[in-house]
Amino acid sequence: VGDDEYHELQLPCDTTASSPLEEAEGADVYAHAMNQLPYLWKKMLQMRNEEEMSFADIAKIIGTTESSVRGTLSKARMRLIEIIKQQL
């Protein structure tokens, strides 16, 4: 469990098999799932995945430890995957 979980969250990006409509639907599913997470989990995922911040930088911003950030991100990713699976 760790950074490898991020790869589980990525939707398939096979451009030969997916249309723009399918890609948009995948983005909608992801956005809807993100909006169901607690605010802090969502922000931490955005900092890590979209802004590519280090665990140390996230910990400084949140005011916690790197270990806590790693644990919270793991929980957030697992919950995000559960929500996405329910939507599919």
Side-chain angles (χ1 to χ4, degrees), residues 9-22:
L9 299 177
Q10 294 180 352
L11 300 174
C13 294
D14 183 359
T15 55
T16 60
S18 61
S19 69
L21 178 60
E22 290 171 327

Side-chain angles (χ1 to χ4, degrees), residues 13-14 16 22-23 26 29 32-33 35 38 46 67-69 73 86:
C13 294
D14 183 359
T16 60
E22 290 171 327
E23 290 176 20
V29 167
H32 180 71
N35 286 332
Q46 289 172 336
S67 178
S68 178
V69 168
L73 282 170
Q86 290 172 357

Side-chain angles (χ1 to χ4, degrees), residues 1-10 48 55 77 81:
V1 177
D3 286 336
D4 294 333
E5 291 173 356
Y6 174 71
H7 299 289
E8 294 177 31
L9 299 177
Q10 294 180 352
R48 182 68 181 160
F55 294 110
R77 290 175 180 136
I81 290 167

Side-chain angles (χ1 to χ4, degrees), residues 18-80:
S18 61
S19 69
L21 178 60
E22 290 171 327
E23 290 176 20
E25 288 173 351
D28 287 345
V29 167
Y30 179 79
H32 180 71
M34 283 288 284
N35 286 332
Q36 293 184 46
L37 294 176
Y39 177 79
L40 184 59
W41 289 13
K42 178 180 173 179
K43 296 313 286 181
M44 289 174 74
L45 282 169
Q46 289 172 336
M47 285 188 275
R48 182 68 181 160
N49 298 339
E50 296 170 20
E51 299 175 31
E52 299 180 358
M53 293 176 67
S54 70
F55 294 110
D57 289 342
I58 296 170
K60 287 176 189 173
I61 290 169
I62 302 297
T64 190
T65 64
E66 285 185 53
S67 178
S68 178
V69 168
R70 288 178 188 272
T72 301
L73 282 170
S74 178
K75 291 176 191 173
R77 290 175 180 136
M78 287 188 289
R79 181 64 187 131
L80 189 63

